[in-house]
Amino acid sequence: MSASGERLGVVGAGTMGGGIAGLAAQRGIATTLYDVADGPLAAGRERIEGSLARAVARGRVSEE
């Protein structure tokens, strides 16, 4: 759980769902991403991980 106790569940790992989940995670909200298919879920996770890695590299968020 996040430090603030906030939690978010996002259904659909497409462009919009993945974007929402990524922004929430970047802001420290414990986020769970769901999709009915494994392929979109894996792709969404990869996009989010890449986005977070770039934000860390730019100093916008901490690695934690």
Side-chain angles (χ1 to χ4, degrees):
M1 193 172 303
S2 69
S4 66
E6 295 177 307
R7 297 180 61 94
L8 175 68
V10 179
V11 178
T15 301
M16 184 178 280
I20 292 167
L23 286 173
Q26 190 172 351
R27 284 160 178 74
I29 299 171
T31 305
T32 303
L33 184 60
Y34 298 93
D35 202 290
V36 296
D38 290 337
L41 185 59
R45 181 181 174 109
E46 287 178 20
R47 280 192 307 274
I48 292 167
E49 288 174 347
S51 176
L52 288 173
R54 286 188 299 278
V56 168
R58 293 177 181 149
R60 294 184 179 167
V61 294
S62 68
E63 246 183 275
E64 297 171 8

